[in-house]
Amino acid sequence: MAVTFEQAQRVGYTLLKALLRFAFMVANNLVAIPSYVLYLIVLQPLRVLDSKLFWYIEGVLFKWLLAMVASWGWWAGYTVVEWGDDVKAVSEDEAMVLVNHQATGDVCTLMMCLQDKGTVVRQMMWLMDHIFKYTNFGIVSLIHGDFFIRQGKAHRDQQLVLLQEHLEKYYRSRNRKWIVLFPEGGFLRKRRETSQAFAKKNNLPFLKHVTLPRLGATQVILKTLVAPQENGTPAGRDAVIKESKSKGLQWVIDTTIAYPKGEPIDIQTWILGYRQPTVTHVHYRIFPIKDVPAEPEALTHWLYQRFIEKEDLLTHFYETGAFPPLQGQTKAVSRAMTLSNLWLVGIQSLAFLSGGMWYCILQYFYHCLF
């Protein structure tokens, strides 16, 4: 079939746009990430003198970096519509966020839709696959205190011990409030077949749009971060909670990401922008921590129920293009989240100015020394 001139033009424009976006992303990373690291190196004396202020500044810089990632998708027309409970109401409380996992773009979507949720982004901790440690953003996550978890049975027990130690050491000492994890333990397309086989063997529901979650990390987080008075169980390090005057983990936010036609956005699309503008839909349901059981068997059942509900939510979405109304409501209400283009341009400008400043400073010291 012959290619028309208009089609060739369209393909050429798409390729040129993708190339320019990729060049911008590379330049963005080359100035923003080293600047983040250098600012924090210079501020190390403040970390000794006033640790709370140091981590506040680090959190602001971290939020700006995530806003830069969000801007790549925002300017490509990849926007978000939110459904369900309004999580802004609990943005100042401690919460665990459970998210279904379909593609690498899920993380970018969260980076975008959490930008307007108060202090959440600068005070959150991410649990992610260890492979992300070796990406360009790995050094940022390491400094911020995110946890990289290694998948597989051979590593499971050790990783859970390391996770508990990590939470006890960094979560409250750095004033973290939200912790984000993907309990399925991998992408939907990679785990679906195994999950369905497990479900059949154990007489569990057959799921197509999500997989059955794993218990380990969720159980460790609850054990370590929930204050004992909230569910009557030990919280791991009571002294840490008492010293920080924290109320402990107060909420579980069950978050469901849905893409039109079930076609997720991956990180390559987010960067290159070759897909047509797309609206991603994010549904939230908030549970008080007192409603979350502590015993392993009961917690497993509770967690399975959350993903069975996600299956129902996604089935409804793919059939109707909308999520169903919350219990007690007659009509589902959606909210289009927005980002300020002026704010995003300001942050990007600051990144490039910082990069230029650090380059001049390093050049000056280099010439002084050599």
Side-chain angles (χ1 to χ4, degrees):
M1 183 177 179
V3 178
T4 66
F5 178 71
E6 290 77 10
Q7 288 174 325
Q9 270 190 321
R10 191 158 50 247
V11 171
Y13 172 73
T14 301
L15 290 174
L16 177 62
K17 183 177 71 171
L19 181 62
L20 291 173
R21 284 177 57 88
F22 181 74
F24 176 76
M25 183 276 295
V26 171
N28 206 177
N29 276 273
L30 287 176
V31 296
I33 294 176
S35 294
Y36 166 89
V37 174
L38 289 168
Y39 276 126
L40 296 181
I41 290 174
V42 170
L43 288 172
Q44 284 303 304
L46 179 63
R47 185 176 180 179
V48 177
L49 297 171
D50 190 340
S51 177
K52 185 176 180 180
L53 179 58
F54 173 86
W55 289 113
Y56 174 86
I57 295 171
E58 185 278 332
V60 172
L61 296 174
F62 183 79
K63 179 177 180 176
W64 289 353
L65 285 178
L66 267 59
M68 291 176 202
V69 176
S71 72
W72 305 340
W74 182 257
W75 288 334
Y78 304 147
T79 56
V80 172
V81 167
E82 298 176 307
W83 303 76
D85 295 326
D86 185 358
V87 296
K88 287 183 181 179
V90 299
S91 62
E92 295 301 316
D93 299 332
E94 290 190 24
M96 175 173 64
V97 184
L98 307 175
V99 192
N100 62 314
H101 209 8
Q102 300 175 68
T104 48
D106 298 340
V107 175
C108 300
T109 296
L110 290 172
M111 287 180 178
M112 176 187 286
C113 65
L114 296 179
Q115 282 291 326
D116 66 344
K117 308 298 187 294
T119 62
V120 164
V121 174
R122 67 176 177 83
Q123 291 182 287
M124 71 195 314
M125 179 181 287
W126 297 74
L127 265 65
M128 59 189 79
D129 192 280
H130 80 288
I131 196 68
F132 287 101
K133 185 189 298 184
Y134 308 105
T135 65
N136 60 309
F137 211 77
I139 183 64
V140 175
S141 292
L142 281 169
I143 293 172
H144 183 69
D146 297 328
F147 184 77
F148 299 94
I149 192 163
R150 186 182 293 271
Q151 303 292 343
K153 292 182 179 179
H155 308 285
R156 189 172 301 163
D157 292 342
Q158 181 194 29
Q159 290 297 297
L160 295 179
V161 171
L162 292 175
L163 172 59
Q164 181 170 344
E165 292 174 352
H166 185 88
L167 293 173
E168 291 170 347
K169 185 175 182 180
Y170 297 118
Y171 191 80
R172 293 202 169 90
S173 67
R174 298 185 181 184
N175 197 27
R176 300 295 173 241
K177 288 191 174 180
W178 281 27
I179 183 165
V180 181
L181 70 154
F182 301 89
E184 291 166 292
F187 297 138
L188 173 64
R189 68 179 186 277
K190 293 183 177 181
R191 292 207 63 244
R192 178 159 41 198
E193 188 176 336
T194 303
S195 176
Q196 289 173 346
F198 177 84
K200 184 177 181 180
K201 182 179 179 180
N202 292 274
N203 197 30
L204 294 167
F206 183 86
L207 307 176
K208 295 191 299 181
H209 306 307
V210 295
T211 65
L212 290 169
R214 294 172 177 175
L215 178 67
T218 304
Q219 188 176 23
V220 168
I221 291 168
L222 292 173
K223 177 184 176 184
T224 310
L225 300 182
V226 175
Q229 66 271 20
E230 298 211 23
N231 68 352
T233 59
R237 295 280 183 175
D238 298 349
V240 175
I241 294 175
K242 190 177 293 183
E243 285 175 12
S244 66
K245 298 181 181 179
S246 169
K247 295 179 181 178
L249 209 64
Q250 294 170 267
W251 311 98
V252 173
I253 303 174
D254 189 24
T255 304
T256 304
I257 298 176
Y259 299 94
K261 300 179 181 179
E263 298 174 355
I265 298 175
D266 55 28
I267 188 65
Q268 299 95 314
T269 306
W270 194 269
I271 292 170
L272 300 176
Y274 51 76
R275 182 167 166 176
Q276 290 298 309
T278 302
V279 179
T280 301
H281 296 257
V282 181
H283 183 279
Y284 306 104
R285 189 177 176 199
I286 302 173
F287 294 88
I289 203 68
K290 63 182 178 61
D291 294 344
V292 182
E295 293 300 318
E297 186 174 343
L299 178 59
T300 300
H301 176 74
W302 185 90
L303 198 56
Y304 280 177
Q305 284 302 120
R306 300 290 71 77
F307 278 77
I308 292 169
E309 288 177 7
K310 286 181 185 292
E311 176 78 11
D312 294 338
L313 286 170
L314 290 168
T315 298
H316 190 280
F317 176 84
Y318 295 139
E319 290 175 353
T320 66
F323 283 113
L326 293 171
Q327 189 174 5
Q329 295 181 349
T330 57
K331 183 180 179 181
V333 179
S334 63
R335 307 172 296 276
M337 66 83 52
T338 59
L339 290 175
S340 167
N341 285 316
L342 182 61
W343 179 62
L344 293 176
V345 169
I347 290 173
Q348 293 286 6
S349 300
L350 181 61
F352 283 99
L353 288 172
S354 294
M357 179 193 72
W358 287 116
Y359 176 78
C360 292
I361 291 173
L362 293 174
Q363 282 285 93
Y364 173 78
F365 279 108
Y366 176 80
H367 287 301
C368 287
L369 292 172
F370 301 101

